[in-house]
Amino acid sequence: MSLCDAEGRERESNDGNIMVDRDLYQYRESIMATQLTDIIESSQAERVATGFVFTEGPVWHPEGYWLFVDVRASLIYRLAPGGQPEIFREQSGGSNGMTFDLRGRLLICEGDNRQVTRREPDGTYTPLAQRLGSKRINRPNDIVTRSDGSIYFTDPGGRLPQEARELSFNGVHRIAPDGTLSSATADTEYPNGLAFSPDERVLYVAITRRDDGCIEEKARGEVCTHQCIRAFDVAADGTLSNNRIFATLASAADGVPDGMKVDVEGRVYCTGPEGCWVFDASGNHLGIIRLPEIPANCAWGGPDHRTMLFTARTSVYTLRMKTPGTRIPRAA
């Protein structure tokens, strides 16, 4: 079958039938649905908890439970499979993205406190990043670790009053294994979610928007073409290069590019407009996982790492996948 472009023109297929735009759209939707069926095992998402303000920052603890945050309530929750959510931390400083270091210690982006912290075994919290040089960082948003012990986090400043901003850019920062903080890249418009490719040679950065004009476009119901995922090559020493657009999530629908995860085959799952967008390792769009609420983030978990938990507005949902996700690195 010969596919037409979406320009309103008709084109003849091999069987002599005419495909118009509507048929093309349905054909593409059918192909995407088939591709997602090859990925998703569950017939529908399971809502495992609800009643929150705005959920975010999910992570699977190696001891067998989920952690996630309610950003607006500044709470971190613990949720065991089949159980009820329990408060893990109160007054969490506007916690958002979370992960673990190589020793299994929890790392937290505290947006309101404008710092990245590490939870120690005794329950205290150690600041790891507060200032880049002499300047206070913006609002840490999402965070990932690499198997060499380095930590990367996004630091957008859009939610800060202009007079409170000390850095002149929105960027991605790196905490080296020795604790040194440096700017990994400033070539990101409004960075949000982060994820590494399975071999850690590529760092993906979700770009929520270019500027406030994008917010106005969405408010008018117009398509924002600046929503995308950037990709950077990661050198052995942790430096980033070859900044490029990996995929676009142009849409007028509710939601923006946000949290991301990658499976062991290199597919990228990025929460965004309408749901969670899925791309193959080459950036081809495979489809959108639609949930009852718009997700802001996702995480792999479960004993086999084939359960994906979505934090979606007032609730959290799970789906079983056919391919396991990449794991957070741990020391040997």
Side-chain angles (χ1 to χ4, degrees):
M1 180 178 292
S2 177
L3 294 182
C4 67
D5 54 17
E7 298 295 331
R9 295 189 293 270
E10 296 181 344
R11 187 170 295 181
E12 186 172 305
S13 64
N14 290 339
D15 57 11
N17 295 322
I18 298 297
M19 294 178 61
V20 296
D21 286 352
R22 181 189 62 188
D23 300 319
L24 174 63
Y25 175 80
Q26 292 174 342
Y27 177 79
R28 285 176 173 168
E29 286 290 295
S30 175
I31 291 295
M32 285 186 176
T34 300
Q35 291 170 325
L36 289 183
T37 300
D38 293 339
I39 298 169
I40 302 171
E41 181 178 292
S42 302
S43 59
Q44 62 182 14
E46 178 185 1
R47 189 174 71 180
V48 294
T50 191
F52 309 101
V53 183
F54 195 96
T55 56
E56 253 282 11
V59 67
W60 173 257
H61 196 287
E63 293 181 4
Y65 57 85
W66 302 101
L67 291 172
F68 65 92
V69 308
D70 189 337
V71 178
R72 308 286 164 76
S74 202
L75 295 170
I76 300 178
Y77 285 92
R78 177 186 187 275
L79 177 63
Q84 295 296 315
E86 304 171 352
I87 294 177
F88 179 83
R89 183 188 180 191
E90 297 180 301
Q91 299 177 349
S92 67
S95 294
N96 200 328
M98 299 188 293
T99 190
F100 295 98
D101 68 8
L102 297 186
R103 293 171 54 184
R105 295 172 296 186
L106 183 65
L107 305 176
I108 307 170
C109 288
E110 298 182 11
D112 291 349
N113 291 340
R114 301 176 67 176
Q115 63 181 2
V116 174
T117 57
R118 180 181 66 216
R119 188 175 192 270
E120 306 297 351
D122 64 0
T124 59
Y125 293 85
T126 301
L128 300 183
Q130 294 176 318
R131 292 182 175 275
L132 184 64
S134 62
K135 300 181 183 297
R136 195 173 184 190
I137 60 176
N138 296 319
R139 289 179 58 90
N141 186 287
D142 202 11
I143 187 166
V144 290
T145 51
R146 196 163 175 248
S147 56
D148 65 352
S150 56
I151 302 165
Y152 295 76
F153 66 93
T154 52
D155 189 36
R159 293 184 181 274
L160 278 178
Q162 190 61 41
E163 63 272 16
R165 294 190 60 170
E166 298 184 22
L167 295 177
S168 61
F169 63 93
N170 304 313
V172 178
H173 306 320
R174 176 178 182 264
I175 305 173
D178 65 2
T180 303
L181 178 65
S182 62
S183 171
T185 179
D187 295 328
T188 50
E189 300 89 329
Y190 192 100
N192 200 320
L194 287 172
F196 279 111
S197 62
D199 61 7
E200 298 184 339
R201 293 181 179 178
V202 177
L203 178 67
Y204 301 107
V205 183
I207 304 298
T208 292
R209 58 181 178 269
R210 182 182 64 181
D211 51 34
D212 289 346
C214 296
I215 299 176
E216 296 167 2
E217 284 179 335
K218 299 277 275 192
R220 294 192 299 264
E222 299 173 1
V223 173
C224 177
T225 59
H226 305 112
Q227 300 175 152
C228 67
I229 300 172
R230 291 192 174 276
F232 295 83
D233 293 339
V234 186
D237 64 359
T239 55
L240 305 182
S241 64
N242 192 23
N243 180 6
R244 59 200 182 273
I245 300 293
F246 169 76
T248 60
L249 290 80
S251 174
D254 189 17
V256 295
D258 205 327
M260 287 191 295
K261 291 296 179 289
V262 175
D263 69 24
V264 297
E265 294 182 1
R267 299 185 192 92
V268 176
Y269 301 71
C270 184
T271 57
E274 298 185 72
C276 183
W277 295 48
V278 185
F279 302 91
D280 67 18
S282 297
N284 299 307
H285 187 204
L286 303 180
I288 300 174
I289 300 172
R290 292 178 171 85
L291 303 163
E293 299 175 76
I294 303 298
N297 212 332
C298 55
W300 294 106
D304 59 3
H305 235 54
R306 288 199 298 114
T307 298
M308 180 169 274
L309 183 135
F310 296 92
T311 51
R313 305 291 167 89
T314 66
S315 308
V316 291
Y317 299 84
T318 58
L319 273 176
R320 289 287 292 166
M321 302 295 187
K322 295 180 179 179
T323 304
T326 56
R327 294 178 181 268
I328 297 172
R330 293 292 296 272

